[in-house]
Structures are given as C-alpha cells and as structure tokens.
Amino acid sequence: MKIEAVLLHRIRMELITPFATSYGAYTDRETILVQVIDENGISGWGECVAFATPWYTEETVLGAWHVLEQFLIPSLLKEQIQHPRQLPQLWQAVKRHAMAKAGLEMAVWDLYAKLQKKPLYQLIGGIRDEIQVGVAIGLQPTIEQYYEWIDQYIAQGYARIKVKIKPGQDVSLIAALREKYPQLPLMADANSAYTLKDIDHLRQLDRYQLMMIEQPLAADDIIDHAELQHSMSTPICLDESILQAEDVRKAVQLGSCQIINVKLGRVGGWNEALRIHELCVEKKVPLWCGGMLESGIGRAHNMALATLVGFTIPGDISASSRYWQRDIIAPEVTVNQGKVALSKLPGIGVEVDTDYVSALTLNKLEITTDS
Ligand code: MG
C-alpha cells in the first residue's frame, strides 16, 4: 500500500429526532470522516465516532482531530505499511485515543480491502451476507411516545428494541413496556447511571425477561459489575467498560457480564475488535455491535463487523432513515424484515456522496506525504 494523502472532513448532520440518554440529548451529530488516498487515487473511508462533548468517553471531535493531525496521520504517511494489521504497532507511542485511531484504521482497512478487490466483511472472515439488526430508542417524555416508536419499528421489522433508562425512568418504564409487548425482544441501556447502592432497585428488572441490561454501573468498574451480576438474573452486557481484549478477559474471569457490546470506535478500531471477537468466541461470550449515531460510513463498517461468527445478537445498526433525512452514502442502509444485506462490492461496498459531504463540512484538512 502506498498512501499519499489523508483528508479529514469535520461534518455536522441534523438528526431527524433528538436522541436522549442518561447524560442529555443530542439534536445533531458532529463527526470526522477520514479519507485515505493511495498513489492511484483510490480512497478508503473511516469515521471517528467521538462526540462533540466528552459524555460517552473522554474523547471529543476536536481532541480527536488534534491527535489525528499531529500524531497518527504523520506516522502513517512517514512509515507506510503493507497491511492494516501493522497499525497498532505504528501507533504504540500514542496512548488511548481509541476513536481517533479507529477512524484512521477503518479508512486503511477499507482501502486495503479495495486493493484486494474484496468486500471488507469477507476479508475479515465474516460468515454471513445479511445481518439481523435492532434499534435503540432514546429517553422519551411520555409512555405513549415509546409505544408510537416501538409500533413503528416493529412494523419495519426490527429484530430487537433497546430503550435507554436512568433513575426515575427505569423499572416502571420497563413494566409498562412489558405489559404492552409481552413477547418483544427488549433490552435496557443505562449508560452507567447507577451504583451498587441501587442493587435492590435494579433487581426488580429480573421480573421482565429483558435480553440484557447494558452498562448499569461505572465504565471503570468491572468489580462492582461482578457483584451486581451475581445478585441478578438479567444478563449484564458491558459497553463503556470494554476498551480492549484485556478488559474482556478480566470481566469474563470475574463474572462481571454475560454479553459484550463491541464498538469499533471505543476499542480503537478493527485490530482490537478482531482480538475481542476471537477471545469471546473462545470464552463463549455472545457479542453484538453497538451504535454511535454513525453516518453511513461508520454504519457500513459496523455491518461488516456484525457478519463475524460471534455476533449472535442483533446490533444497533439501524437504517440510515432512522437518523438522517439523507445519508452521505449510496445506496443508503435499508432494513428489510429486520435484516440488512451486505454489499458485495470491494471494501465497505458503498459510494460516498462527496458533494453532500462538502455541503455538510465545517472544516477540512489534507495532509500529504510532501507536507
Ligand atoms: Mg450502550
């Protein structure tokens, strides 16, 4: 591979409806698209999923931009690599900054797959060409609004519904949803809104046959999650706690969870995600792919990830139209009977609408081998 230029596009996209979590609500999504270009003008695309504010992890859009511009991109252009497996070694001196690394890794993996003339999902050993998908609903002001969204998503065929919960909007919410939808594959995501003091309160959720409760406690607390999991029957899924394969090893050993959510951005990209997948298959821990309100580029990478054998639970990979009036890729991601089909074209298999990307761009930077 001879990468001659890397472009960063910071864009802002309006969400169709605000997305609320236990930390607050978003009305638009700022994100960085990463484009690597080789000597023949072939582009690979990735997406840095950091948010504008550091609510999910410590990373932010502008912080990631700085790390990409000053450290990750210069070392990639200076060293050059033969295979994207070499990237973690190249960036050893850059600690953490998982989302910045993941955005650039994704672009290099996409380019590499295109050069091999293979769909990315086949290159990484994916075993299915369509995946079952679920949808996430942010916190809503009234129960009727949940019913409205859920009815709509069931009609669209989604295979699993996830709702966000927080103190004051949890047990009674789940009870009401379970009463109205006794058979619905349902799960709840707390985004670390609780502590072990809430153990008796959270145990009340055991009555409602949830598929899982996602990240009830703090991101850096694998030990307390073990205590909680040992005292409740609802499976715990870890999201924010899992930054690398090593975290999976510890969580599984302690019994902190029964399920893992993988996000390429949170774990630093494809290389670490593949390691986590390998370990979870070995330990028989089911996986699913989480979502970060991605544009079509991040979404296409997530779809490839979810084709791996260990991803047995529908992920948060909804249709483009779940979030955007218009996506930046063609064709857009569509859901048919709860499934999304993978493109057979090389790389992530979608065309990036560069005119629309330009229209959404807040700022752009090009770094070349000569600069
Ligand atoms: Mg989550």
Coordinates of all heavy atoms in Angstrom, one line a residue, residues 231-302:
S231 N -25.9 -11.1 41.7 CA -27.1 -10.9 42.5 C -28.3 -10.7 41.6 O -29.4 -10.5 42.1 CB -27.0 -9.8 43.5 OG -27.0 -8.6 42.9
M232 N -28.2 -10.7 40.3 CA -29.4 -10.5 39.5 C -29.4 -11.5 38.3 O -28.3 -11.9 37.8 CB -29.6 -9.1 39.0 CG -28.8 -8.5 38.0 SD -29.1 -6.7 37.8 CE -30.7 -6.6 37.0
S233 N -30.5 -12.0 37.9 CA -30.6 -13.0 36.8 C -30.5 -12.4 35.4 O -30.1 -13.0 34.5 CB -31.8 -13.9 37.0 OG -33.0 -13.1 36.9
T234 N -31.0 -11.1 35.3 CA -30.9 -10.5 33.9 C -29.4 -10.4 33.5 O -28.6 -9.9 34.3 CB -31.5 -9.0 34.0 OG1 -32.8 -9.1 34.6 CG2 -31.5 -8.4 32.7
P235 N -29.1 -10.9 32.3 CA -27.7 -10.8 31.9 C -27.2 -9.4 31.8 O -28.0 -8.5 31.3 CB -27.7 -11.4 30.5 CG -29.0 -12.2 30.4 CD -30.0 -11.5 31.3
I236 N -26.0 -9.1 32.3 CA -25.4 -7.8 32.2 C -24.6 -7.8 30.9 O -23.8 -8.8 30.6 CB -24.5 -7.4 33.4 CG1 -25.4 -7.2 34.6 CG2 -23.7 -6.2 33.1 CD1 -24.7 -6.9 35.9
C237 N -24.7 -6.7 30.1 CA -23.8 -6.5 28.9 C -22.9 -5.4 29.2 O -23.4 -4.3 29.7 CB -24.7 -6.2 27.7 SG -23.7 -5.7 26.3
L238 N -21.6 -5.5 29.0 CA -20.7 -4.3 29.2 C -20.5 -3.6 27.8 O -20.3 -4.3 26.8 CB -19.4 -4.8 29.8 CG -19.6 -5.2 31.3 CD1 -18.2 -5.7 31.8 CD2 -20.1 -4.1 32.1
D239 N -20.5 -2.3 27.9 CA -20.3 -1.5 26.7 C -19.1 -0.6 27.1 O -17.9 -0.9 26.8 CB -21.6 -0.6 26.4 CG -21.4 0.4 25.4 OD1 -20.3 0.6 24.8 OD2 -22.4 1.1 25.1
E240 N -19.3 0.5 27.8 CA -18.3 1.5 28.1 C -17.1 0.9 28.8 O -15.9 1.4 28.7 CB -18.8 2.7 29.0 CG -19.7 3.7 28.2 CD -21.2 3.4 28.2 OE1 -21.5 2.2 28.2 OE2 -22.0 4.3 28.3
S241 N -17.3 -0.2 29.5 CA -16.2 -0.9 30.3 C -15.1 -1.6 29.4 O -14.1 -1.9 29.9 CB -16.7 -1.9 31.3 OG -17.5 -1.3 32.3
I242 N -15.5 -1.9 28.2 CA -14.6 -2.8 27.4 C -13.9 -1.9 26.4 O -14.4 -1.5 25.3 CB -15.5 -3.9 26.7 CG1 -16.3 -4.7 27.7 CG2 -14.6 -4.7 25.8 CD1 -15.5 -5.5 28.7
L243 N -12.6 -1.6 26.7 CA -11.8 -0.8 25.8 C -10.8 -1.6 25.0 O -10.2 -1.2 24.0 CB -11.1 0.3 26.6 CG -12.0 1.2 27.4 CD1 -11.2 2.2 28.2 CD2 -12.9 2.0 26.5
Q244 N -10.6 -2.8 25.5 CA -9.6 -3.7 24.8 C -9.9 -5.2 25.2 O -10.6 -5.4 26.1 CB -8.2 -3.3 25.3 CG -8.1 -3.3 26.8 CD -6.8 -2.6 27.3 OE1 -5.8 -2.6 26.6 NE2 -6.8 -2.2 28.5
A245 N -9.2 -6.1 24.5 CA -9.5 -7.5 24.8 C -9.1 -7.9 26.2 O -9.8 -8.7 26.8 CB -8.6 -8.3 23.8
E246 N -8.1 -7.2 26.7 CA -7.7 -7.5 28.1 C -8.9 -7.2 29.1 O -9.0 -7.9 30.1 CB -6.5 -6.5 28.4 CG -5.8 -6.8 29.7 CD -5.3 -8.2 30.0 OE1 -5.3 -9.0 29.0 OE2 -5.1 -8.5 31.1
D247 N -9.7 -6.2 28.8 CA -10.9 -5.9 29.7 C -11.9 -7.1 29.6 O -12.5 -7.4 30.6 CB -11.6 -4.6 29.3 CG -10.6 -3.4 29.4 OD1 -9.8 -3.4 30.3 OD2 -10.8 -2.5 28.6
V248 N -12.0 -7.7 28.4 CA -12.9 -8.8 28.3 C -12.4 -10.0 29.1 O -13.2 -10.6 29.9 CB -13.0 -9.3 26.8 CG1 -13.8 -10.5 26.7 CG2 -13.6 -8.1 25.9
R249 N -11.1 -10.2 29.1 CA -10.6 -11.3 29.8 C -10.9 -11.2 31.3 O -11.4 -12.1 32.0 CB -9.0 -11.4 29.7 CG -8.4 -12.6 30.3 CD -6.9 -12.5 30.2 NE -6.2 -11.5 31.0 CZ -6.0 -11.4 32.3 NH1 -6.5 -12.4 33.0 NH2 -5.4 -10.4 32.9
K250 N -10.7 -9.9 31.8 CA -10.9 -9.7 33.3 C -12.4 -9.8 33.6 O -12.8 -10.4 34.6 CB -10.4 -8.3 33.7 CG -8.9 -8.2 33.6 CD -8.4 -6.8 33.8 CE -6.9 -6.8 33.7 NZ -6.3 -5.4 33.4
A251 N -13.3 -9.2 32.8 CA -14.7 -9.2 33.0 C -15.2 -10.6 33.0 O -16.1 -11.0 33.9 CB -15.4 -8.3 32.0
V252 N -14.8 -11.4 32.1 CA -15.3 -12.8 32.0 C -14.8 -13.6 33.2 O -15.5 -14.4 33.8 CB -14.8 -13.5 30.7 CG1 -15.1 -15.0 30.7 CG2 -15.5 -12.8 29.5
Q253 N -13.5 -13.4 33.6 CA -13.0 -14.1 34.7 C -13.7 -13.8 36.0 O -14.0 -14.7 36.8 CB -11.5 -13.8 34.8 CG -10.7 -14.7 35.7 CD -9.2 -14.5 35.6 OE1 -8.7 -14.2 34.5 NE2 -8.5 -14.5 36.7
L254 N -14.1 -12.5 36.2 CA -14.8 -12.1 37.4 C -16.3 -12.4 37.4 O -16.9 -12.3 38.4 CB -14.6 -10.6 37.6 CG -13.2 -10.1 38.0 CD1 -13.1 -8.6 37.9 CD2 -12.9 -10.6 39.5
G255 N -16.8 -12.7 36.2 CA -18.2 -12.9 36.1 C -19.0 -11.5 36.1 O -20.1 -11.4 36.6
S256 N -18.4 -10.5 35.5 CA -19.0 -9.2 35.5 C -20.1 -9.0 34.5 O -20.8 -8.0 34.5 CB -17.9 -8.1 35.2 OG -16.8 -8.3 36.0
C257 N -20.1 -9.9 33.5 CA -21.1 -9.8 32.4 C -21.3 -11.1 31.8 O -20.5 -12.0 31.9 CB -20.7 -8.7 31.4 SG -19.2 -9.2 30.5
Q258 N -22.4 -11.2 31.0 CA -22.6 -12.4 30.2 C -22.5 -12.1 28.7 O -22.6 -13.1 27.9 CB -23.9 -13.1 30.5 CG -24.0 -13.4 32.0 CD -25.4 -14.0 32.3 OE1 -26.0 -14.8 31.6 NE2 -25.9 -13.7 33.5
I259 N -22.5 -10.8 28.3 CA -22.6 -10.4 26.9 C -21.7 -9.2 26.8 O -21.6 -8.4 27.7 CB -24.1 -10.0 26.6 CG1 -25.0 -11.2 26.8 CG2 -24.2 -9.5 25.2 CD1 -26.5 -10.9 26.8
I260 N -21.1 -9.1 25.5 CA -20.3 -7.9 25.3 C -20.8 -7.1 24.0 O -21.2 -7.7 23.0 CB -18.8 -8.3 25.0 CG1 -18.2 -9.1 26.1 CG2 -18.0 -7.1 24.6 CD1 -17.6 -8.4 27.2
N261 N -20.9 -5.8 24.2 CA -21.2 -4.9 23.1 C -19.8 -4.4 22.5 O -19.0 -3.9 23.3 CB -22.1 -3.8 23.6 CG -22.1 -2.5 22.8 OD1 -21.2 -2.3 21.9 ND2 -23.0 -1.7 23.0
V262 N -19.6 -4.6 21.2 CA -18.4 -4.1 20.6 C -18.7 -2.9 19.8 O -19.6 -2.9 19.0 CB -17.7 -5.2 19.8 CG1 -16.3 -4.6 19.2 CG2 -17.4 -6.4 20.5
K263 N -17.9 -1.8 19.9 CA -17.9 -0.7 19.1 C -16.5 -0.5 18.5 O -15.6 -0.4 19.3 CB -18.4 0.6 19.8 CG -19.9 0.5 20.2 CD -20.3 1.7 21.1 CE -21.7 1.6 21.5 NZ -22.1 2.6 22.5
L264 N -16.4 -0.4 17.2 CA -15.0 -0.2 16.7 C -14.4 1.0 17.2 O -13.2 1.0 17.5 CB -15.2 0.0 15.1 CG -15.5 -1.3 14.4 CD1 -15.9 -1.0 13.0 CD2 -14.2 -2.2 14.3
G265 N -15.1 2.1 17.4 CA -14.5 3.4 17.9 C -14.0 3.3 19.3 O -12.9 3.7 19.6
R266 N -14.8 2.6 20.1 CA -14.5 2.6 21.6 C -13.3 1.7 21.8 O -12.5 1.9 22.8 CB -15.7 2.0 22.3 CG -15.6 2.2 23.8 CD -16.7 1.3 24.5 NE -16.5 -0.1 24.3 CZ -17.4 -0.9 23.8 NH1 -18.6 -0.5 23.6 NH2 -17.1 -2.2 23.6
V267 N -13.0 0.7 21.0 CA -11.9 -0.2 21.2 C -10.7 0.1 20.3 O -9.7 -0.7 20.4 CB -12.3 -1.7 21.0 CG1 -13.5 -2.0 21.9 CG2 -12.6 -2.1 19.5
G268 N -10.7 1.2 19.6 CA -9.5 1.6 18.8 C -9.5 1.0 17.4 O -8.4 1.2 16.8
G269 N -10.5 0.4 17.0 CA -10.5 0.0 15.6 C -10.6 -1.5 15.3 O -10.8 -2.3 16.3
W270 N -10.4 -1.9 14.1 CA -10.6 -3.2 13.6 C -9.7 -4.2 14.3 O -10.1 -5.3 14.6 CB -10.3 -3.3 12.1 CG -11.6 -3.0 11.3 CD1 -11.8 -1.8 10.6 CD2 -12.8 -3.8 11.2 NE1 -13.1 -1.9 10.1 CE2 -13.7 -3.1 10.4 CE3 -13.1 -5.1 11.7 CZ2 -14.9 -3.6 10.1 CZ3 -14.4 -5.6 11.4 CH2 -15.3 -4.8 10.6
N271 N -8.4 -3.9 14.5 CA -7.4 -4.8 15.1 C -7.9 -5.3 16.4 O -7.9 -6.5 16.7 CB -6.0 -4.2 15.1 CG -5.4 -4.2 13.7 OD1 -5.1 -5.2 13.1 ND2 -5.2 -3.0 13.2
E272 N -8.2 -4.4 17.3 CA -8.6 -4.7 18.7 C -10.0 -5.4 18.6 O -10.3 -6.3 19.4 CB -8.6 -3.5 19.6 CG -8.6 -3.8 21.0 CD -7.4 -4.6 21.5 OE1 -6.3 -4.5 20.9 OE2 -7.5 -5.3 22.6
A273 N -10.9 -4.9 17.8 CA -12.2 -5.6 17.7 C -12.1 -7.0 17.3 O -12.8 -7.9 17.8 CB -13.1 -4.8 16.7
L274 N -11.2 -7.3 16.4 CA -11.0 -8.7 15.9 C -10.4 -9.6 17.1 O -10.8 -10.7 17.2 CB -10.1 -8.8 14.7 CG -10.7 -8.2 13.4 CD1 -9.7 -8.1 12.3 CD2 -11.9 -9.0 12.9
R275 N -9.5 -9.0 17.8 CA -9.0 -9.7 19.0 C -10.1 -10.0 20.0 O -10.1 -11.1 20.6 CB -7.9 -8.8 19.7 CG -6.4 -9.3 19.4 CD -5.4 -8.7 20.3 NE -5.3 -7.2 20.1 CZ -4.5 -6.7 19.2 NH1 -3.8 -7.5 18.4 NH2 -4.5 -5.4 19.0
I276 N -10.9 -9.0 20.3 CA -12.0 -9.2 21.2 C -13.0 -10.3 20.7 O -13.4 -11.2 21.5 CB -12.8 -7.9 21.4 CG1 -11.9 -6.9 22.2 CG2 -14.1 -8.1 22.1 CD1 -12.5 -5.5 22.4
H277 N -13.2 -10.3 19.4 CA -14.1 -11.3 18.9 C -13.5 -12.7 19.1 O -14.2 -13.6 19.5 CB -14.3 -11.0 17.4 CG -15.0 -12.1 16.6 ND1 -14.4 -13.0 15.8 CD2 -16.3 -12.4 16.7 CE1 -15.3 -13.8 15.4 NE2 -16.5 -13.5 15.9
E278 N -12.2 -12.8 18.8 CA -11.6 -14.1 18.9 C -11.7 -14.6 20.4 O -12.0 -15.8 20.6 CB -10.1 -13.9 18.6 CG -9.4 -15.0 17.9 CD -8.0 -14.6 17.4 OE1 -7.9 -13.8 16.5 OE2 -7.0 -15.0 18.1
L279 N -11.4 -13.7 21.3 CA -11.5 -14.1 22.7 C -12.9 -14.5 23.2 O -13.1 -15.5 23.9 CB -10.9 -12.9 23.6 CG -10.8 -13.2 25.1 CD1 -9.9 -14.3 25.4 CD2 -10.3 -11.9 25.8
C280 N -13.9 -13.7 22.7 CA -15.3 -14.0 23.1 C -15.7 -15.3 22.5 O -16.5 -16.0 23.1 CB -16.2 -12.8 22.7 SG -16.0 -11.4 23.7
V281 N -15.3 -15.6 21.3 CA -15.7 -16.9 20.7 C -15.1 -18.0 21.5 O -15.8 -19.0 21.9 CB -15.2 -17.0 19.2 CG1 -15.4 -18.4 18.7 CG2 -16.0 -16.0 18.4
E282 N -13.8 -17.9 21.9 CA -13.2 -18.9 22.7 C -13.9 -19.1 24.1 O -14.1 -20.2 24.6 CB -11.7 -18.4 22.9 CG -10.8 -19.4 23.7 CD -9.5 -18.7 24.1 OE1 -8.9 -18.0 23.3 OE2 -9.2 -18.9 25.3
K283 N -14.3 -17.9 24.7 CA -14.9 -18.0 26.0 C -16.4 -18.2 25.9 O -17.1 -18.2 26.9 CB -14.7 -16.7 26.8 CG -13.2 -16.3 26.9 CD -12.6 -17.1 28.1 CE -11.1 -16.7 28.4 NZ -10.4 -17.7 29.2
K284 N -17.0 -18.3 24.7 CA -18.4 -18.5 24.5 C -19.2 -17.3 25.1 O -20.3 -17.5 25.7 CB -18.9 -19.8 25.1 CG -18.2 -21.0 24.4 CD -18.8 -22.3 24.8 CE -18.3 -23.5 24.0 NZ -16.9 -23.6 23.9
V285 N -18.8 -16.1 24.9 CA -19.5 -14.9 25.3 C -20.1 -14.3 24.0 O -19.4 -13.9 23.1 CB -18.6 -13.9 26.0 CG1 -19.3 -12.6 26.3 CG2 -17.9 -14.5 27.2
P286 N -21.5 -14.2 24.0 CA -22.1 -13.6 22.8 C -21.8 -12.2 22.6 O -21.6 -11.4 23.6 CB -23.6 -13.9 23.0 CG -23.8 -14.5 24.3 CD -22.4 -14.7 25.0
L287 N -21.7 -11.7 21.4 CA -21.4 -10.3 21.0 C -22.5 -9.7 20.2 O -23.2 -10.4 19.5 CB -20.1 -10.3 20.2 CG -18.8 -10.8 20.8 CD1 -17.9 -11.1 19.7 CD2 -18.3 -9.7 21.6
W288 N -22.6 -8.4 20.3 CA -23.3 -7.6 19.3 C -22.6 -6.3 19.1 O -21.8 -5.9 19.8 CB -24.8 -7.4 19.8 CG -25.0 -6.8 21.1 CD1 -24.9 -7.4 22.3 CD2 -25.3 -5.4 21.3 NE1 -25.2 -6.4 23.3 CE2 -25.5 -5.2 22.7 CE3 -25.6 -4.3 20.5 CZ2 -25.8 -4.0 23.3 CZ3 -25.9 -3.1 21.1 CH2 -26.0 -2.9 22.5
C289 N -23.0 -5.7 18.0 CA -22.3 -4.4 17.5 C -23.1 -3.2 18.0 O -24.3 -3.1 17.6 CB -22.1 -4.5 16.0 SG -21.4 -2.9 15.4
G290 N -22.5 -2.4 18.8 CA -23.2 -1.2 19.2 C -23.2 0.0 18.2 O -22.5 -0.1 17.2
G291 N -23.9 1.0 18.4 CA -24.0 2.1 17.5 C -23.6 3.4 18.2 O -23.7 3.5 19.4
M292 N -23.1 4.4 17.4 CA -22.7 5.7 17.9 C -23.3 6.8 17.1 O -22.6 7.8 16.9 CB -21.1 5.7 17.9 CG -20.4 4.8 18.9 SD -20.5 5.3 20.6 CE -19.3 6.6 20.6
L293 N -24.5 6.6 16.6 CA -25.2 7.6 15.8 C -24.3 7.9 14.6 O -24.0 9.1 14.2 CB -25.5 8.9 16.5 CG -26.2 8.8 17.9 CD1 -26.4 10.2 18.4 CD2 -27.6 8.1 17.7
E294 N -23.8 6.8 13.9 CA -22.8 7.0 12.8 C -23.5 7.5 11.5 O -24.7 7.2 11.3 CB -22.2 5.6 12.5 CG -21.1 5.2 13.5 CD -21.7 4.2 14.5 OE1 -23.0 4.2 14.6 OE2 -20.9 3.5 15.2
S295 N -22.7 8.1 10.7 CA -23.2 8.3 9.3 C -23.1 7.0 8.6 O -22.6 6.0 9.2 CB -22.2 9.3 8.7 OG -21.0 8.7 8.3
G296 N -23.4 7.0 7.3 CA -23.4 5.7 6.6 C -22.0 5.1 6.5 O -21.9 3.8 6.4
I297 N -20.9 5.8 6.7 CA -19.6 5.3 6.6 C -19.3 4.4 7.8 O -18.9 3.2 7.7 CB -18.5 6.4 6.4 CG1 -18.7 7.0 5.1 CG2 -17.1 5.8 6.6 CD1 -17.8 8.2 4.8
G298 N -19.5 4.9 9.0 CA -19.3 4.1 10.2 C -20.3 3.0 10.2 O -20.0 1.9 10.7
R299 N -21.5 3.2 9.8 CA -22.6 2.2 9.7 C -22.1 1.0 8.8 O -22.3 -0.2 9.2 CB -23.8 2.8 9.2 CG -25.1 2.2 9.5 CD -26.3 3.2 9.2 NE -26.2 4.3 10.2 CZ -26.7 4.3 11.4 NH1 -27.5 3.3 11.8 NH2 -26.5 5.4 12.2
A300 N -21.5 1.3 7.7 CA -21.1 0.2 6.8 C -20.0 -0.6 7.4 O -19.9 -1.8 7.3 CB -20.6 0.8 5.5
H301 N -19.1 0.0 8.2 CA -18.0 -0.7 8.9 C -18.7 -1.6 10.0 O -18.3 -2.8 10.1 CB -17.0 0.2 9.6 CG -16.0 0.8 8.6 ND1 -14.8 0.1 8.4 CD2 -15.9 1.9 7.9 CE1 -14.1 0.8 7.5 NE2 -14.7 1.9 7.2
N302 N -19.7 -1.1 10.7 CA -20.4 -1.9 11.7 C -21.1 -3.1 11.1 O -21.1 -4.2 11.7 CB -21.5 -1.0 12.4 CG -20.9 0.1 13.3 OD1 -19.7 0.1 13.6 ND2 -21.7 1.0 13.7

